[in-house]
Amino acid sequence: MIAGRGPEAPPRSPPADPSRFDEKVYGWLLRACPKDFRDEYREEMLELARSRFARARLGRGLTRRSCWIELLGDLLTTAFGTYWDRWTSCPPTQQLGYEKESLMQTLIQDTKYALRGLSASPGFTLLALLLIGLGVGVNTAMFSIVDAFVFKPHPWERVDEVVWIYQDSDSGEPSSCSYPAFLDKESINRFSHRSQP
Amino acid sequence: MRTTYFHILLVLFNGRRHGLGIADDIEANTRGAIRLGPGTLYRSLKEMSRERLVRPVPALPNSDPRRKFYEVTESGRVRLEAEARHFEQIVQIARRCQVLPEAL
């Protein structure tokens, strides 16, 4: 019998270049920066990031993870910094109309301005919302744990007298005790206490 | 002056460079202690252009035309020299106080 070869496997595509993927993700994350800044420096920022990813791939003083940590930190600082610079470089009367407008009008104007700014940079908005959500979630969890273990008093008195009650199972092993079984034990205990001289 | 500005001006003092070249030179000058991210670098260059410490110049021949080159302005040179002298004075004081060893 001649062993025949099965149907040939489809040609495998070459493995995707991870630095190319990293570059695409970084390019998308650049949306966090203001549009004019992005338009002016996008290509050059991508070139610098590409060079870092290439170094990480070749293992020249960088790993892919450390590269991403540095780039994300840099991107967040830049995005917040450029928006902050823009805000602080506005003349004070444009920032808040203390003299001419009421506080409520100013608040409405600021809210509209903020919403326009956020809608103009959806990437930045998404990143900010994710970070805020993560921050609030972690904070709430930590507070709940600390509150339960440190601040709140025990829900019962005389904690040192609290005991765990077991009852024997059919096989003789200690097992959990149901409430009716507990009541039975309690009545027997009372009876035995009363019957003692 | 911000540390980033100082290092950028130091690199540009000896001639025009593009962004990637500036970042690489700073990393080499500081032996890897300072590695500027893309955002920090180009935000600094934008600010420094506004403060007239550096200015964009035409690309060098035989270089990628998409790259923007920068050079230090006269005002940038003056600020850099003043800042370097300031650091020099601090080093001298540190030597007199024996914080640093005497220069050979």
Side-chain angles (χ1 to χ4, degrees):
Chain A
M1 182 178 170
I2 300 171
R5 291 176 64 187
E8 285 189 8
R12 294 178 66 182
S13 57
D17 182 358
S19 60
R20 182 79 188 147
F21 171 76
D22 292 337
E23 189 189 327
K24 275 188 179 173
V25 174
Y26 183 76
W28 189 83
L29 287 175
L30 279 179
R31 291 165 187 238
C33 294
K35 189 173 181 308
D36 55 341
F37 184 82
R38 214 166 57 219
D39 289 347
E40 193 171 354
Y41 297 111
R42 181 187 157 80
E43 289 307 316
E44 287 170 291
M45 287 174 78
L46 273 175
E47 188 189 16
L48 185 46
R50 195 181 302 133
S51 124
R52 296 279 159 83
F53 287 130
R55 274 175 57 183
R57 199 178 64 238
L58 298 170
R60 289 186 186 161
L62 272 176
T63 61
R64 191 179 175 203
R65 190 178 168 195
S66 67
C67 188
W68 263 116
I69 290 171
E70 281 184 18
L71 288 174
L72 284 179
D74 172 72
L75 193 60
L76 276 178
T77 317
T78 306
F80 279 109
T82 38
Y83 278 110
W84 177 254
D85 288 347
R86 184 170 299 182
W87 170 252
T88 50
S89 62
C90 291
T93 49
Q94 205 176 325
Q95 288 177 14
L96 286 172
Y98 287 118
E99 294 175 3
K100 295 180 182 174
E101 295 169 343
S102 71
L103 187 62
M104 184 53 76
Q105 281 174 324
T106 308
L107 189 67
I108 292 169
Q109 189 183 344
D110 281 357
T111 309
K112 282 181 181 173
Y113 176 77
L115 289 175
R116 277 203 304 274
L118 290 173
S119 62
S121 305
F124 172 78
T125 309
L126 186 66
L127 199 63
L129 284 176
L130 281 175
L131 286 175
I132 290 169
L134 194 67
V136 170
V138 170
N139 204 18
T140 309
M142 283 307 295
F143 177 78
S144 305
I145 292 168
V146 171
D147 187 44
F149 282 97
V150 179
F151 295 116
K152 270 192 177 167
H154 291 286
W156 50 78
E157 293 177 357
R158 293 182 296 177
V159 182
D160 53 339
E161 291 179 25
V162 174
V163 293
W164 192 278
I165 298 173
Y166 293 100
Q167 72 178 51
D168 290 345
S169 66
D170 293 341
S171 60
E173 296 291 320
S175 175
S176 57
C177 177
S178 68
Y179 185 60
F182 167 71
L183 291 178
D184 279 350
K185 285 179 197 299
E186 194 185 29
S187 64
I188 293 166
N189 208 23
R190 271 194 202 133
F191 179 76
S192 64
H193 273 296
R194 280 180 197 155
S195 62
Q196 281 176 3
Chain B
M1 182 186 281
R2 291 184 189 174
T3 313
T4 314
Y5 291 10
F6 183 71
H7 282 285
I8 292 174
L9 287 175
L10 274 179
V11 168
L12 293 179
F13 190 77
N14 292 319
R16 61 183 65 179
R17 284 275 194 289
H18 54 78
L20 182 58
I22 294 172
D24 287 346
D25 284 0
I26 289 176
E27 193 176 344
N29 285 348
T30 60
R31 295 176 186 173
I34 296 180
R35 189 159 49 219
L36 292 188
T40 308
L41 174 67
Y42 288 104
R43 189 174 156 223
S44 300
L45 285 170
K46 191 180 174 73
E47 287 295 313
M48 291 170 79
S49 300
R50 197 156 59 198
E51 291 180 26
R52 300 182 193 287
L53 297 175
V54 299
R55 62 171 163 248
V57 287
L60 290 170
N62 303 326
S63 68
D64 188 342
R66 290 172 302 177
R67 283 180 170 168
K68 284 185 196 135
F69 280 71
Y70 298 87
E71 71 176 12
V72 65
T73 61
E74 193 50 42
S75 157
R77 280 178 191 276
V78 171
R79 287 276 301 276
L80 176 63
E81 283 170 17
E83 194 72 7
R85 286 216 176 83
H86 175 64
F87 285 141
E88 189 183 22
Q89 284 174 354
I90 291 175
V91 170
Q92 282 173 358
I93 293 169
R95 288 211 167 105
R96 278 204 299 276
C97 297
Q98 296 180 342
V99 177
L100 293 176
E102 287 294 326
L104 295 175

